[in-house]
Each structure stands twice: as C-alpha cells, then as structure tokens.
Amino acid sequence: MTQSYRIETGGLINRNKKISFKFNGTSYFGYEGDTLASALLANGVHLVGRSFKYHRPRGFFGAGVDEPYAVVQLYRNGETEPNIKATEQELFEGLEASSVNCWPSVNFDIGAINNFLKIFLPAGFYYKTFMWPKSFWYKIYEPFIRKAAGLGVASTKHDKERYEHKYEYCDLLIAGSGPSGLASAYSAAKNGAKVILAEDKPRYGGSLLTSDVNIGNQSGKDWADGIISELKEMPNVTVKNRSQVFGYYDHNMLVMSEKVSDHLPKTKKYHPNKRLWYIRAKEVLISSGSIERPIVFGNNDTPGVMLSSAAKEYLKVYGVLVGKKPLVFTNNDSGYETAIEFKKHGVEPIVLDSRSNPQSEIIDEAKNLGINIKNSYVVVAAQGYKKVKSADVATISEDKKTLGKIENINCDCICVSGFWTPTIHLVSQSGNKTKFNEEIDAFVPGVSKQNETTLGAANGVFTLEETLKTSFEKGKELSKKITEKDNEISIPNVVEKKYSKHDKFWCVPLPKGKSYKRFLDFQNDVAVSDVEIALREGYRSIEHVKRYTTLGMATDQGKTSNLNGLQLVSEIENKVVPSVGHTTFRPPYTPISIGAIVGREVGKHSKPTRKSPIHNWHEEHNAVFVDAGVWLRPRYYKRGNETLFEASKREAKNVRTNVGVCDVTTLGKIDVKGPDAAEFLNRVYTNAWLKLPVGKARYGVMLREDGIVMDDGTTTRISENHYHMTTTTAQAANVLSHLEYYLQLVWPELNVNVVSTTEQWAGAAIAGPKSRDLLQKLFPKTDVSNEGLPFMGYVEGDLFGVKARIFRISFSGELAYEVNVESDNGRFMWEKIIELGEEFQIQPYGTEALSTLRIEMGHVAGSELDGRTIPYDNALEGLLSKKKDFIGKRSLQRAAFVAEDRQRIVGVVPLDKKN
Amino acid sequence: MSLISALNNVHAKGQFGDFEGKDDKNLLSISETTNLLILQIVQYKSSNSSLDNMQVDGLNLRDNPSLVSSNDNTRILWNGPRNWILVSQKKDTLNEIEQKFNDNEFAITDISHSKAIIEIEGKEAKEVLKKGCPFNFGELEKNQCLNSTYNGMSVTIDMLDDDPDKFRIFGLRSFGESLYHSITDASLEFGYIAK
Amino acid sequence: MLHIKCPHCGMRSQNEFSYGGDATVKRPELNKEVTDQEWDNFVYNRVSPRGKHLELWQHLSGCRQWIKVERDTATHEIFKTYKANEEIA
Ligand SMILES: [Zn+2]
C-alpha cells in the first residue's frame, strides 16, 4: 500500500517505523512522528467531520492547537475520549478514531439537511425558535439540539488512566520553544536561573522547524536542536515537550498540562497519562508565537481550504502534500514560502496575491522558480462539496470593493494566508492590558500586571534577528535580577529573508447575485451574515455579539476567527478595532481533560478519612460506619439481620440495663496550659471557671461573638496550670482556631498555650448501671467508689500497666465514665473493656444509640447546636454567668434574642409515663 | 499492654509500583517510624528566660524559622514563633525537660501518640512530596523543616539527609492511613520498597 | 491561587491559610458598657471595599499564627503582611 500524498523523502518522521491505525473503521498506516492529521492527509483523506450547526463537511484547517475542524473521538484500550484534535494527536500503533458530529456517517449526514435549510438557522436562531413554549425546552428542544449539535461522546465508564498533579517553583517559566523561547531559556540558564521551558508540541523549535532561515551558519532547525540538547544537560533546566501552559492565574501561578503517555498505545502501569503542573514562577516569558489568520471568502469551509502555514508544516515536518494542484491565496509574503515548498517538491502552485505590485526577496525567489503569480487577485469562492474541486477567482480593485470577471481555476486545495495574529491568551489571562497594533492588524501585549514578558511573534515581532536579540537579552536581564550572575552570550548571526508589507485585507466581497456562506468561525458555523444580523438587531458590545452568534465559543476558542470577527464588527460599526476591543481570554487556552483536572482525587483518594486507633476492632465486629465530618465512626454493630433501628435500640437498652462501651476517640481534645489558663477559660465559656479544683471536670458552653452557641463539652483541671478541654467531633478544628484567635489577637497578654491532643488519646465511654463494677475490674488498684471518684471527678489509673485517665462524666443520665489511654494502647484498652465486661453483659454501642441516650436524657446534641441557636433555645440559659463577661454575652441582649416567642427545645414524656 | 502504631494496619513490607528492572538502590524506600518521644514546647509571651540557657539533650531551642537543631538522638523542629516540636529516641528526655522548664514559662505537651510518621528516602523523594504539597522544595535543605499540607492533610516535614534525600513526614495519627495511601500512591511511578 | 508571605514562615501557598475577615475591627473591652450600635459595629457591620483591605488570615497548616494581610480585593495584589501584634504602618 502506498501513500499517494507522501513525498519520497524529507520531513521529520521516522520512515523506518510504520504505524497502523483506523479511522472511521478503515485501516491506514502512517509513520512514527505523524499526527493523526498528517497520516490521514498522507492517505488522501480530507473529509473528517461535520460542522456544528449546518453539518457541512469538514477537513483539516490547521496543523496544531488552532485547528477548528478536525475534532475526533479517540479509542484506546477499550476507553474513549471525545473532542481530540487530530492535528495534535500523535499516531501510535493501533490508534482508532472516528468522526464526531455526523450521523449515520461522515459521508452521509442527515443533519446536513440543516445546510439546505440554512435560511432558518441564522444567528440567534436557537434563542428565538426554541424558547417557547417554555415547557418544551427540557423535554423536546434541548435533547434534540444536543443530539444534532453535540461534539464527541464522553465515556460513561470509569476512567482507568492515572492523572497526577505536581507543584513546582522556578525562576523563569518559558511558554513556547520557538526561537524566542530557546534564546531566552539559554541565556537565563547560563546565568544559573532555574528554568522551565514548556513546548506544547512533541518537537521543539516552533517556527524554526518550517522556516527557511540560518542561525550561526546552521539551519534554524539544527540550531534549535543544538540549544535543546545543551539545555537538557543543565541541572537547573527542565525541558518539557507535549506540555501546554494553559492558564495564567494570580501571583504568577501557571498551570501546565503535560501529556505523559498520550502518544503511547498504552500508559505504563503506575505512570500518569497526563500530569498537571502548578507552577509558581518568579518571571514568566511568553513565547507562544503567532497563528496565521485566514482570509474570508465564499465557501471557505470546504475541505481542502486550509492555512498556508499548515500546508507548509505538513510538507516540511511530515513530508505530506495537502494537494497536488494547490492554490495559494495570500495578502502577505508568507504564502510564497508555502508556494516555494510545493514547487521544490515538483508540484505547480498558483499564487493569488491581493496586493497589486508587491516586491520582496521571497517574491523574487518565487518568480525565479517560475511560480505562476497573479497580483490583485482573490478567491471569491471555493467550489466542491466534500473536497475543493476548483476556485472561483477574480481580480479586485485597489479599494477592495469591486470584483472583476469571475474565472474558474482547477485546484485541489486552497492555502490561505491573511497574515499573523500573536497568541496573547496567556498574556491577557495574566491581567495584561493588551493594545491594538495597526502595523500588524492585531492585538499585542501592553502593560503587564504580573511579572510577565512577551517575546517574539507573540509580541508582534516577526523578524528572527530582532526576536533572537531581544530574547537573549531578556533572558539574561531577568535571570540576572534573580541570580545576580551575568554570563556573556554571543548572539549568533541570522540570515533571513526580508518581508514586504502585508495587505490590510481580510474579507472578499460577495459578487453580485451570490449568497455564498463566508465563514468566520469554522467550528461553530458563524458566518459574516450572522454577525451582520446580530448588529442589525442591536447587539453592540463584542461580548454580546459573541454570545448571540456563538462566534469564538467553540472548543478552539476562536483562535482563527476572533480577529476577523472584530474586523467585521468594526467595519460595519465604522469604528476602529481597538475601540471594539477583544473578548476576554479565559483559561484553559486549549481543552484539558477533566481527568487531568481531577488528578488523583478519585476513589479512596477523593477525600482523606480519619480513623480511631480502635477502628479495626469495630470493622472486625460488624460495625456499620457513618461519616462524622471526615471521621468514620461506628453507627451501630449489626447482629444478624438487624436493622439500624433494631440494633440501636438494643444497644441503648443494654446501656440502660447493663453496661455499654462507645469509642469516643473522635471527640476533640485540647490541652489548655499556662498561668492564665483559668482566666482564659472563664472568658471563653459562659459559666464560671475560676474556682474549678484540680481533679474536677465541668461542663461548659462556648458562644461566638454573635451569641450563637459554638460548642459544648467538659473540661477537666489536670493540674494547677493544665486543663484538658473536650469539644464535639465536628467543631474541634474550629474551636482550636477560635481559641488561638483570642490568644493571639484579642488578649495577647494572657500566658496560655492551646494545642490539639485529639489524636494523643484513645477514648472509651463506659455507661450503664454496671459501669462502676466494670471499672473496678479494669482498675483494681484505684478507688472508683462514689467517694473516691465522685460525679465530675477525675483520677489517673493503671490499666494493667498502661497509664490511663478516668473521668466520671455522663451524657446519658446513667452512671458513666470515660477512660483515655495513649493511642498506641487504644485497642488494648478496648479489648480489656470488652473482655472484663463480658460478665456484665457489655455491648459496644454506636453513634445512633449514643444520640438516643442523649435525647432521652434531654441533652443537646449536634442537631441542636447547628450554628443558629442561642443558649435559651437549647434550655442552656442556666449556664450563663451573670457575674462575669464572656465571649458573645453582649449579643444575648439583642431584641430578637430576648423575644418571648423564640423556639425552644422541650422534653416530651409519654402520658402513661411508661413507654 | 500491646502497642499498635499508627500505620500498623496499612504498612506492608515489599516492593511496589514500577520497581521491575530497577536496582534496589535506586528505588525509594518507605518506612514507618514508631516509638518516638514527641513534645510540643512553647515559651509563654511573658517568659524572660533566655533561650541560650535552655538546653535539651545538649541542643538549644532556637527561634529560627525552618531550623532543626539535631544530634544523633534528638531533633528540635521550629514549629512557629517560640514554639518547637522535639522529637527524640530518648524517652527520658521528658524528665529532663520537666525538671528544667518551669511551667509558668513553658508549656510542654506530650504528643508522642498524636502522629503517624512516614520516612521516605531516595533521590525521587522530593518529587513524591511535590505531588501533594504546595511548598517550594527547591529551597529546602538538610536539617530544615516545614509545616504544610499534603493532599489537604496537615503535615510536618523534616529533612533528615540530602545524600540521598531523606524526609520524615509527620501527619495527624487519625489521618495516618490516608496520608500513607497518598504518599505511597505518589511513589508508584518511581517504584518503592516498603521497609 | 494566592501566594502569601507569612511574616513568620515566609512565602507560602494559599492552601495553607484560612481567611479570617476584616482586621481593622477591634473587640470592645471585657466588662465595658457598650451601646447596641457599638456592639453591632463590632459583630456585624463591615464595609466591603474594592481595593485595599486589611484582613486576617490564619496560617492554619503552617505556624498556626493569625496574621494581617493588606490585599487589594479587586486585583489580589498583596502589599504587606504583618504579625498579629505588629503596628500597622
Ligand atoms: Zn507561618
């Protein structure tokens, strides 16, 4: 099998390695180093999809990230990924892809009927037609439109690929490895700066891969290769290809998506498919280059119409001819480079130049090669449905308003060059106030807001000599500020061709009596006529025109359409482009997989889990767990077929009749220490704390300054300057921050330290009429009688060689204790309690029984302390000290808080007093 | 008494991730560190004691951000202004401190059981840390420490060595399993030996 | 994501901090008689300026210190950060 559009030699592909792949079910082959696009073109495949609205046939328009058409569905290892640009997807063995946006097939698409009904689908059609009746929207209109207009199909299966994140810091982040990126990276690296150089394509070098220039007596590409291999050897430099810097955020944080395994048939197990880098850079150098813009003419969306730079790239990088009878339509010298490349490979191009008498070195070279050049000529319309067959061309008057007689030229592709648009997306995202440059008819960076500098074509500089000079200097200057080193770099000699001025011409007028669609936005099918309608209907702001017509809103984000849209609006409105202004550039610059954004936050990594040291015992004993914040707590211990209600009733009843044990490790614990600890607690809690003796616990309630109950719990005085505070599980972290706030900001004169000891202690609540008997067994050497350990008392004990703290506190109304041991001994304590409790019919109980017991006792729980209630609402007003001030006290005088009709917690007792 | 350390249930020995065909010496090694004395030491605001005179196990408390004072047994990590974390293999250091430090001037809190401790060693160790922690590890040197977060969990990271890089990662004990899963998951790409 | 200079620890990522509101509010002294209006001003009433704002942040997953940050609410530019007890210049 031969590839009829692949030239014999040349290109940067590896012709020794054939790669087979499938597109829409047909098998093809390409070579290592191909993209899906270049491999299809090599096989003469131009029809790859259908357009969004009219379902018109779609081919290839570009050769990279700017591609508006060739969006495909990709299949790999039984997985599928939608909306992949064929121009970016590298070929790998076994790749399978299919067209999107067409049904039943790309060759026969039912939706294309829209194309013949297009009179009904002008701008705003969806808004106007499908709005009424409103009830139709969700059920009828939306599903229909989605099916007809949708792009790819997202997989419904679990994504087996890994995606990872990484935080990185550097002195200079350089986005783009074209001439400016390489030069600035080189001089910065030589100054010892920590440099990250990011290139979105697989190959480094940017425009140097396709331009006919000479740097330091080498070809541009050889020079780029030399610089890259030198940079790769330097320890202070990270060079990354297949890595797109797609977002520029606050404080010089940029996000880059690295395709780690996207070009491979299969991701290595344990390796990520993509890695998202969060890069904080001291300085950012944007060397993102420029994108060629099209000239607008009739049927300019026909497959075979493409950017002239793309045709050149397919030829020089991939050795692929996009056609054998090419027409080059240009308003500047770039088109001639493409024509010359064709000619060199034995193909006869025709050049149509909208300029009347352009003169330059490169035009002379084209003439000398005998290329057919027609000046003051334009393409009026492409002819052909699924592929360009010919072009209607005509002369154009000097004022670009009048067309001459229409002639038809046979051709199989039309390569368009409407000059260059700097890629300023990152610049704009950084907050830079961009400005319009009349010289190049495009926006360029203006005043920086963050530490960002733009170089080369992205800055509107299109000569290599100037680009290299400023880039070497900038890299040096910025790195010198950081490293204070000043390494001399000699700037190499540059040989390049001088360009003549481009023609300020972007849209071919319609010939009389013709109504060709002239497209601005190729992916969203927005034509010149749509923008005209929007303006006629009164839309003025470019942001409104964008939304009404959907110009620039597709997945390519208008990379090739925005400026021509602006030109049109400014022309109709009789304004200059800068006053129309461009729409806001927002990240991401190019679509990013949802998987990459999510990273490893999937499955058990989606959120952290907190477990008590006794967790495994609960698991082994049929505990059913409940989320308490991020803690996992046993809700109940299931026996047989018990339901939640049956189990919790059994557990609660056993506490009332025998003894139960509950894991209370999750309760927040805070060590409050210092000479002023008592005074501090007295201000924090609503009740009095100055006279609590050592060895005693007290229940306390704390408020926020607005009078709302924040938390409750017991605090025990362990020694003179040491208190052990407990909080609810949910509020533990907030209470600690709250205490730190007062100690650091409000009462810095207090000598108090607070530190969380939640994890230091494993806790077990032992409750029920037989709890004291059990406690005595656990602590045979300790006096736990009512006298030895009275209500709200605290003693230390020895649990078979383990140091323990014993608190006599109860939230259930039963005789109850809480035992704490250091966490490593948590399970030991628990098993001892269960073992020695056996003779007392002990049962473990979970949070459900715990709540039941609390409610039966009339004690507040989480549901009451919900951040909306004051002490009165919870019948806690008895804990409000009248003698002292405390946090939130003043708020309790507010009219609403003393109103008589406030809701209040009440106890409910059955009338027969039995059940 | 039967002590169960924080990571006892998850830390299984063996080789994991992309280790095949790699020299054991080049793999990361991951282990749990147990049985350390860990104390928080805080000097109250009104304390006039000069830190120059306060020594623990021959080491001075120094109020320098990110600094770790260390000897073979003990490391004192800066934890905040006038706030340190002492980590020692010598349990009796607690007695020494309680004798030397007046409780009207210093708060000493035993948090030995509060932490899950992972040690990770190898030339890729910093890469593992970068996957979950937003700190600038390019700046971190041997005998420096920091507090930050790893996949949303608060951690203290102590750099023990730089040839190869070796770190001790302290997480809250209850988060131990999740932290261990995060660290080991991030290590799979490089391959690791769990010791 | 913001990059905040903790006056104790140095430059750190926003992930380590939590926000604490207006730093210019001063709590009335304990046991002092205050009018309803004064108390409301302390608890509730806040201006929401576009531009410079002195605010509290806690270096929660760091040194746990509350700090004051002078930040532009529109551009996120941070002009200066202060320790809790530092005089505001
Ligand atoms: Zn800090």
Side-chain angles (χ1 to χ4, degrees), chain A residues 705-746:
Chain A
E705 289 289 14
D706 63 2
I708 299 292
V709 179
M710 180 175 188
D711 199 46
D712 72 333
T714 57
T715 290
T716 307
R717 192 167 198 170
I718 304 286
S719 67
E720 183 63 24
N721 286 350
H722 178 195
Y723 292 80
H724 171 85
M725 174 187 279
T726 65
T727 73
T728 59
T729 302
Q731 289 296 320
N734 289 343
V735 169
L736 185 62
S737 279
H738 175 80
L739 301 179
E740 286 165 335
Y741 174 92
Y742 284 94
L743 288 172
Q744 293 172 24
L745 289 162
V746 185

Side-chain angles (χ1 to χ4, degrees), chain A residues 418-716:
Chain A
F419 207 53
W420 297 87
T421 305
T423 305
I424 54 163
H425 297 66
L426 287 176
V427 180
S428 170
Q429 287 173 22
S430 81
N432 186 305
K433 291 260 176 294
T434 57
K435 57 183 189 213
F436 193 73
N437 181 337
E438 299 276 355
E439 193 79 358
I440 60 168
D441 287 334
F443 286 92
V444 291
V447 183
S448 299
K449 195 188 119 191
Q450 307 199 41
N451 291 347
E452 127 275 328
T453 309
T454 311
L455 296 168
N459 198 29
V461 177
F462 296 121
T463 68
L464 182 60
E465 190 170 4
E466 193 189 336
T467 292
L468 284 183
K469 186 169 173 292
T470 49
S471 303
F472 274 118
E473 281 164 2
K474 258 296 168 211
K476 193 175 135 168
E477 174 197 326
L478 294 174
S479 55
K480 189 179 150 192
K481 273 201 304 190
I482 298 165
T483 66
E484 289 164 8
K485 285 183 193 147
D486 198 2
N487 191 66
E488 269 315 311
I489 301 266
S490 60
I491 298 170
N493 242 19
V494 172
V495 183
E496 64 182 319
K497 295 198 181 73
K498 298 238 165 13
Y499 268 47
S500 59
K501 218 178 145 12
H502 80 283
D503 200 358
K504 287 175 182 294
F505 170 68
W506 59 276
C507 182
V508 180
L510 277 181
K512 276 205 178 71
K514 296 284 184 188
S515 60
Y516 299 125
K517 279 269 173 199
R518 292 173 299 167
F519 286 97
L520 290 167
D521 182 318
F522 301 107
Q523 198 174 91
N524 266 356
D525 282 352
V526 180
V528 171
S529 51
D530 295 315
V531 174
E532 286 168 351
I533 288 173
L535 292 165
R536 209 154 60 223
E537 292 186 0
Y539 292 91
R540 288 294 175 271
S541 150
I542 189 68
E543 297 281 0
H544 291 161
V545 171
K546 168 181 167 177
R547 280 157 186 81
Y548 195 57
T549 61
T550 70
L551 174 71
M553 284 173 67
T555 59
D556 68 332
Q557 296 260 299
K559 289 182 179 65
T560 50
S561 63
N562 282 338
L563 262 175
N564 283 339
L566 285 176
Q567 291 281 11
L568 178 63
V569 173
S570 59
E571 191 175 296
I572 296 171
E573 291 287 287
N574 235 331
K575 280 185 197 159
V576 285
V577 173
S579 68
V580 174
H582 61 75
T583 54
T584 314
F585 292 111
R586 292 194 177 84
Y589 170 66
T590 191
I592 301 299
S593 302
I594 299 284
I597 294 165
V598 173
R600 290 296 293 152
E601 287 184 13
V602 290
K604 71 181 172 196
H605 301 289
S606 60
K607 69 171 176 49
T609 308
R610 302 180 77 175
K611 291 178 180 175
S612 104
I614 311 163
H615 184 88
N616 277 35
W617 188 94
H618 305 316
E619 242 173 26
E620 290 156 21
H621 291 81
N622 290 329
V624 176
F625 292 93
V626 62
D627 289 328
V630 287
W631 282 99
L632 280 181
R633 298 192 71 180
R635 191 173 186 189
Y636 62 100
Y637 298 82
K638 193 180 173 85
R639 287 187 180 178
N641 293 325
E642 268 180 344
T643 62
L644 162 68
F645 181 65
E646 289 161 352
S648 62
K649 215 169 96 174
R650 166 181 56 73
E651 290 169 6
K653 196 170 175 194
N654 193 58
V655 171
R656 295 271 177 238
T657 50
N658 296 306
V659 61
V661 59
C662 181
D663 184 351
V664 290
T665 302
T666 63
L667 284 186
K669 305 173 201 78
I670 297 170
D671 253 28
V672 183
K673 281 185 176 147
D676 299 318
E679 173 61 26
F680 181 54
L681 292 176
N682 209 43
R683 297 178 187 186
V684 167
Y685 281 125
T686 62
N687 48 344
W689 284 79
L690 294 178
K691 288 182 184 143
L692 182 73
V694 170
K696 276 289 205 176
R698 181 167 290 172
Y699 175 72
V701 168
M702 58 178 84
L703 309 185
R704 310 189 309 217
E705 289 289 14
D706 63 2
I708 299 292
V709 179
M710 180 175 188
D711 199 46
D712 72 333
T714 57
T715 290
T716 307

Side-chain angles (χ1 to χ4, degrees), chain A residues 280 705 740 744 890-891, chain C residues 27 36 39 58 64 66:
Chain A
R280 188 86 67 177
E705 289 289 14
E740 286 165 335
Q744 293 172 24
R890 179 63 178 78
S891 284
Chain C
R27 190 191 195 280
D36 285 354
W39 189 255
Q58 189 184 13
R64 295 201 64 92
W66 285 88

Side-chain angles (χ1 to χ4, degrees), chain B residues 73-177:
Chain B
N73 294 314
T74 305
R75 300 178 67 82
I76 301 177
L77 285 60
W78 186 88
N79 189 46
R82 292 177 170 218
N83 186 329
W84 300 267
I85 300 288
L86 176 140
V87 182
S88 182
Q89 285 160 0
K90 277 165 68 182
K91 295 276 177 118
D92 55 7
T93 307
L94 180 57
N95 300 330
E96 184 194 340
I97 289 180
E98 282 178 341
Q99 279 166 23
K100 279 190 186 166
F101 290 70
N102 173 344
D103 79 346
N104 277 312
E105 295 190 63
F106 291 90
I108 311 292
T109 309
D110 187 349
I111 49 172
S112 305
H113 291 257
S114 294
K115 305 287 181 182
I117 307 164
I118 300 167
E119 276 189 19
I120 181 164
E121 181 174 4
K123 69 176 176 31
E124 312 284 5
K126 274 191 178 178
E127 293 302 307
V128 172
L129 295 175
K130 285 177 186 177
K131 288 188 190 183
C133 177
F135 183 77
N136 181 2
F137 285 98
E139 285 179 354
L140 193 72
E141 291 171 10
K142 182 179 170 176
N143 292 330
Q144 292 189 328
C145 65
L146 64 123
N147 291 340
S148 186
T149 72
Y150 196 95
N151 287 1
M153 294 171 271
S154 289
V155 288
T156 297
I157 298 173
D158 178 9
M159 186 161 182
L160 303 176
D161 208 341
D162 57 8
D163 186 27
D165 286 351
K166 187 176 183 185
F167 299 91
R168 209 179 249 170
I169 308 162
F170 300 81
L172 280 176
R173 183 193 186 102
S174 61
F175 283 109
E177 282 189 32

Side-chain angles (χ1 to χ4, degrees), chain A residues 699 709 712 851 854-866 868-878 900-909:
Chain A
Y699 175 72
V709 179
D712 72 333
S851 298
R854 279 191 157 218
I855 291 165
E856 285 171 354
M857 189 211 174
H859 201 289
V860 289
S863 326
E864 284 80 46
L865 307 183
D866 65 353
R868 296 183 295 181
T869 54
I870 60 169
Y872 171 86
D873 305 345
N874 295 309
L876 291 170
E877 67 273 22
E900 300 220 327
D901 58 350
R902 284 194 72 81
Q903 293 191 5
R904 183 172 156 92
I905 192 170
V906 291
V908 180
V909 180

